[in-house]
């Protein structure tokens, strides 16, 4: 928060309202993304900021960590993080998969957790398509 919420002049300068640094970074990334080769990382634990970045960068790929143990809400992450087609978001839930089991069944338990998360994401995307 010391940096991401730091107020900055908007790119247009002038008498426009100051904006948080994360918005300025997103706008600059969008400006530079002429080759479609830029993506951003936005934490799922900041859903309003995620929503704002998606608005600024409607087609840019977003890596979104923070689901599960870190407290990010999956439904808001899918709603705010995906693009207009329900794509361009890589939702990461490392601990949920990594710590699925500490036993000999680790591989199958991790696979089960990953599949469960994928199904939850797909269900939420289907719900969004009906909205």
């Amino acid at each position: 928060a010391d940096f991401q919420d730091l107020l900055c002049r908007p790119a247009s300068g002038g008498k426009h309202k100051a904006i948080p640094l994360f918005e300025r970074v997103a706008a600059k990334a969008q400006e530079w993304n002429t080759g479609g080769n830029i993506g951003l990382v936005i934490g799922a634990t900041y859903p309003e900021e995620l929503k704002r970045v998606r608005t600024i960068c409607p087609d840019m790929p977003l890596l979104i960590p923070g689901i599960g143990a870190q407290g990010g809400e999956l439904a808001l992450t899918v709603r705010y993080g995906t693009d207009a087609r329900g794509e361009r978001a890589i939702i990461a839930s490392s601990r949920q998969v990594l710590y699925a089991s500490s036993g000999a069944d680790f591989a199958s338990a991790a696979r089960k957790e990953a599949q469960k998360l994928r199904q939850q994401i797909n269900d939420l995307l289907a719900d969004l398509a009906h909205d």
Side-chain angles (χ1 to χ4, degrees):
D2 289 342
F3 294 103
Q4 78 180 24
D5 295 333
L6 185 67
L7 293 178
C8 303
R9 278 192 328 247
S12 56
K15 296 182 183 203
H16 292 87
K17 181 180 163 188
I19 61 172
L21 179 60
F22 80 88
E23 288 186 24
R24 178 76 181 188
V25 170
K28 190 53 81 171
Q30 181 66 19
E31 177 186 325
W32 290 339
N33 196 28
T34 58
N37 58 348
I38 295 177
L40 295 171
V41 178
I42 317 297
T45 54
Y46 295 95
E48 291 304 316
E49 288 84 346
L50 174 60
K51 182 179 182 180
R52 183 69 188 126
V53 168
R54 179 49 79 199
T55 299
I56 295 167
C57 305
D59 300 315
M60 191 175 291
L62 301 178
L63 173 60
I64 310 170
I67 293 297
Q70 291 177 303
E73 187 177 327
L74 186 59
L76 290 177
T77 299
V78 171
R79 177 176 293 279
Y80 296 159
T82 58
D83 69 4
R85 295 186 324 246
E87 300 174 351
R88 299 263 176 197
I90 301 168
I91 300 170
S93 181
S94 303
R95 285 188 225 173
Q96 184 176 340
V97 174
L98 184 62
Y99 297 116
S101 173
S102 59
D105 67 334
F106 169 75
S108 62
R111 183 174 201 266
K112 184 177 177 180
E113 281 300 315
Q115 288 175 325
K116 183 173 115 181
L117 179 61
R118 181 179 65 187
Q119 187 59 55
Q120 290 171 333
I121 292 169
N122 287 338
D123 291 346
L124 289 164
L125 288 170
D127 290 346
L128 284 178
H130 292 107
D131 284 350

